Amino acid sequence: NSFTKLFNMPLLAIITSNIGSATGHQDGNGRSDAILSSLALALCLGVVQSMMLLCLGKFGLGMYGASPGFDIFLPASKYLSVRTLGNCVTVLFVSLLGIFRGLGDTVSPMIATLCFTFSSIVFEYIFLFSLGWGACGAALAVVLAQVFGCCVQLVYLLKFNRISFKIRRPRDGNTLI
């Protein structure tokens, strides 16, 4: 959590100001381009973070007092492994919040956050109490809830903000790749 906060909070600020600047212009394509760029940046950063967490995760657990000799090490490392696999979703969720901030929409991300929170409670109950999956179940519940929250945000982004994600040809005749 500490590791991802270090990277995700500056990302949130950058995305918010980038989208806000693009929204201030009259060109709707500029706003769509800024949103696509922000989502691509978020996915790339999410992959890099996941790779770093996979490589440095056990070392980080040791820094927080969960060394291999302690009983907490195995559940903590399992939790970290599952959360690391879902890290791209975490970064995307935070980035979508920044996109909505930049668009001046505070209601849509609030609804998505409420959906995330409610679904997390439901998933946690099922995975922990009904299935008894322990730390892995808790981590999986958070990841699945974030996937649900991201889906809600993407639906709001596409449907209610009328964002176009079509790849256009530049005026000079070259194709965008």
Side-chain angles (χ1 to χ4, degrees):
N1 191 33
S2 302
F3 178 79
T4 57
K5 290 279 186 201
L6 178 69
F7 291 100
N8 293 349
M9 296 316 289
L11 177 67
L12 178 64
I14 290 168
I15 287 176
T16 301
S17 63
N18 187 27
I19 301 300
S21 296
T23 301
H25 303 319
Q26 298 297 327
D27 183 16
N29 289 330
R31 182 175 62 180
S32 293
D33 291 345
I35 290 171
L36 276 175
S37 298
S38 298
L39 291 174
L41 176 64
L43 289 175
C44 289
L45 186 60
V47 168
V48 169
Q49 282 182 16
S50 294
M51 292 165 78
M52 289 175 71
L53 283 169
L54 283 173
C55 294
L56 302 173
K58 307 264 189 222
F59 174 74
L61 287 176
M63 288 178 53
Y64 281 98
S67 298
F70 293 98
D71 291 340
I72 193 69
F73 182 77
L74 185 60
S77 62
K78 286 181 180 180
Y79 182 88
L80 180 64
S81 297
V82 174
R83 289 283 293 150
T84 298
L85 294 175
N87 188 61
C88 288
V89 178
T90 302
V91 176
L92 185 62
F93 187 83
V94 170
S95 299
L96 284 163
L97 294 176
I99 289 170
F100 280 106
R101 280 186 187 177
L103 293 171
D105 181 355
T106 57
V107 175
S108 299
M110 181 189 70
I111 292 169
T113 302
L114 289 173
C115 290
F116 158 72
T117 303
F118 179 73
S119 63
S120 180
I121 292 168
V122 171
F123 289 139
E124 295 262 353
Y125 182 82
I126 292 169
F127 295 156
L128 291 175
F129 299 114
S130 297
L131 300 175
W133 287 357
C136 286
L140 184 60
V142 172
V143 171
L144 290 177
Q146 285 178 333
V147 168
F148 182 62
C150 282
C151 290
V152 170
Q153 288 185 81
L154 288 170
V155 165
Y156 273 97
L157 186 63
L158 293 170
K159 188 172 183 180
F160 299 112
N161 287 299
R162 292 168 178 70
I163 302 299
S164 171
F165 290 113
K166 296 178 183 168
I167 297 177
R168 299 174 284 110
R169 287 188 180 266
R171 292 188 180 134
D172 63 4
N174 295 330
T175 58
L176 289 175
I177 297 178

